[in-house]
Amino acid sequence: MIKITMFSSADKVKGQGVGSAYLELMQLLKTRATDRLEIKVNSFKPTSISHYHTIDPHYFITTFFRKRFGRRIGYVHFVPDTLKGSLHLPKFIEKILYWYVVVFYRRMDHLVVVNPSFIPELEKLGIAKENITYIPNFVAKKDFYPYSTEKIKQLKKTHELETDKFIVFGAGQVQERKGVFDFAKLAEEMPDVQFIWAGGFSFGKMTDGYEKYKKLMDQPPSNLKFVGIIDRKEMLDYYNLADVFLLPSYNELFPMCILEAFSSETPVLLRDLPLYRPVIDGYYQAAKDRDEMKGILRELQQNPKAYETLKNAAIQGNLAYSEERLTKVWCDFYQQQEGDSLWKEEINGR
């Protein structure tokens, strides 16, 4: 039995993917790996492995007590460059934050990335490639799944949506890098289509571009609804209401919302970003800009064959990230890390 302590405050802020990824992993391990792993959360008792999901300063202090907290594993959901466009901070505070992120990652014995495109970025920060492992995100099928046609019809009535209206759904924090203005512009250009965005200001007025986005949310196009930060159950409703899930982000990591859409069997349209290709190539449609997004949405709205093809791609994407496979991946990883930890203790005469 491997003793693991999870250090995380990821679930304290609603509407962000890091929290969803943490909750999914905890649920997976606590339901499928209890015979192999003994897991505690934010405990300061002795452990074999400490797995850091967030970079809180009081967690950082524990990294200096190796005998008590064991092998240090860092979960990388972002690198300094990906923070740009998310928070609006004074320059000196921004520099301190970026420095702290790098120092935290360097304190780890091993890092897990949610996207392989992070690996070269971490190498530039002085972290050896052999100390980095890629393990993708995933979602539980019991939490995200397709509804029946009848249930979707009823749901549209509940939300006062026209039964035959084509619906485009987007999700994420309302901020610059998410491409929310492109989403709103598409709504203006496609008045016959219903657009819905779930998400808000998870970090309040610190959000980059807060004032202009607040104005947009207060006065959106008539066919665009901002439903705010909602819980995961409500997210499932909107994935099923939607004909297409659209994420027009300019800069991304490996968003949980994409996997949630796959699991709900909702076709996915994304901006054409290189970081998606290594992890979900073949399971979504890509568009280089807003005009191309508009053209693809029209094609999906008017061409049933094209729509079914993209829906089937989403279903295949969900199969690629099964809970069974990821359970084995994580258990094998922890076993290897515990082995490395014991070997190093032996070498150091501890």
Side-chain angles (χ1 to χ4, degrees):
M1 187 77 73
I2 303 172
K3 291 185 177 181
I4 302 169
T5 297
M6 303 293 191
F7 286 103
S8 176
S9 61
D11 53 340
K12 289 183 179 178
V13 179
K14 289 186 176 181
Q16 50 147 353
V18 177
S20 297
Y22 166 69
L23 292 172
E24 288 287 2
L25 179 58
M26 287 295 292
Q27 179 176 260
L28 180 84
L29 299 180
K30 286 193 170 185
T31 55
R32 293 173 177 263
T34 53
D35 59 328
R36 287 162 282 181
L37 309 176
E38 181 185 324
I39 297 174
K40 296 186 184 303
V41 178
N42 296 335
S43 169
F44 295 96
K45 294 181 179 179
T47 187
S48 299
I49 293 173
S50 289
H51 187 162
Y52 299 88
H53 294 260
T54 54
I55 59 172
D56 306 45
H58 58 293
Y59 300 158
F60 181 66
I61 294 170
T62 68
T63 68
F64 292 91
F65 300 91
R66 183 187 290 275
K67 285 186 178 180
R68 188 172 188 83
F69 295 102
R71 189 158 174 83
R72 303 162 297 194
I73 308 299
Y75 210 173
V76 179
H77 294 276
F78 56 84
V79 291
D81 279 350
T82 60
L83 292 172
K84 293 173 182 175
S86 297
L87 300 175
H88 181 66
L89 300 169
K91 284 294 179 186
F92 78 96
I93 293 179
E94 188 178 81
K95 285 183 179 180
I96 291 171
L97 175 61
Y98 293 175
W99 168 83
Y100 174 70
V101 171
V102 174
V103 170
F104 197 103
Y105 288 164
R106 286 177 178 169
R107 287 291 305 164
M108 299 295 105
D109 296 304
H110 203 95
L111 295 174
V112 176
V113 296
V114 298
N115 193 308
S117 66
F118 288 179
I119 295 174
E121 296 301 314
L122 291 168
E123 286 185 279
K124 289 177 187 176
L125 300 177
I127 296 163
K129 189 175 183 179
E130 59 267 25
N131 292 331
I132 308 170
T133 297
Y134 160 58
I135 302 178
N137 287 331
F138 63 94
V139 296
K141 194 66 183 171
K142 75 174 187 63
D143 295 326
F144 291 92
Y145 51 86
Y147 289 172
S148 67
T149 303
E150 189 55 44
K151 186 170 181 177
I152 293 171
K153 283 183 181 178
Q154 187 58 49
L155 200 57
K156 284 186 175 182
K157 286 182 182 178
T158 301
H159 288 273
E160 299 181 340
L161 297 168
E162 295 176 37
T163 305
D164 59 349
K165 180 81 79 172
F166 195 80
I167 298 174
V168 177
F169 178 52
Q173 296 178 52
V174 176
Q175 55 186 218
E176 194 76 35
R177 72 179 177 90
K178 291 290 185 179
V180 179
F181 273 122
D182 276 341
F183 196 83
K185 191 67 178 175
L186 282 167
E188 286 181 5
E189 295 172 351
M190 305 177 75
D192 60 315
V193 175
Q194 177 67 59
F195 286 77
I196 301 171
W197 187 275
F201 304 114
S202 294
F203 298 101
K205 292 184 178 181
M206 284 199 308
T207 302
D208 194 28
Y210 173 81
E211 293 297 335
K212 60 182 180 181
Y213 287 113
K214 182 71 168 60
K215 184 177 179 181
L216 172 64
M217 292 177 75
D218 289 341
Q219 300 174 328
S222 59
N223 61 327
L224 169 57
K225 287 186 177 183
F226 284 99
V227 296
I229 297 173
I230 58 179
D231 64 30
R232 302 189 83 206
K233 175 58 182 169
E234 286 183 273
M235 286 292 287
L236 175 59
D237 287 347
Y238 282 106
Y239 288 123
N240 276 280
L241 278 172
D243 293 288
V244 176
F245 177 74
L246 167 62
L247 190 64
S249 299
Y250 290 95
N251 185 358
E252 267 302 344
L253 317 174
F254 185 3
M256 291 295 290
C257 55
I258 294 174
L259 297 183
E260 291 166 358
F262 285 165
S263 194
S264 306
E265 298 185 5
T266 305
V268 173
L269 172 60
L270 308 172
R271 192 180 298 275
D272 190 9
L273 302 180
L275 61 90
Y276 291 136
R277 295 171 200 155
V279 287
I280 52 172
D281 194 31
Y283 306 133
Y284 68 100
Q285 192 151 355
K288 67 178 184 293
D289 55 27
R290 190 178 74 241
D291 286 341
E292 197 165 292
M293 289 175 194
K294 181 180 176 181
I296 292 170
L297 289 173
R298 283 296 182 210
E299 176 71 7
L300 294 171
Q301 182 187 22
Q302 297 168 5
N303 186 337
K305 187 176 179 181
Y307 185 86
E308 282 304 310
T309 298
L310 193 55
K311 181 170 183 171
N312 287 332
I315 293 169
Q316 293 305 309
N318 180 54
L319 293 174
Y321 292 93
S322 69
E323 295 166 87
E324 292 79 9
R325 185 173 78 85
L326 269 299
T327 300
K328 184 178 186 309
V329 168
W330 275 108
C331 287
D332 288 350
F333 171 76
Y334 286 133
Q335 188 170 24
Q336 179 194 2
Q337 291 303 307
E338 187 191 43
D340 286 351
S341 179
L342 293 171
W343 179 80
K344 285 185 177 180
E345 287 181 13
E346 232 176 73
I347 292 295
N348 293 331
R350 286 167 51 188

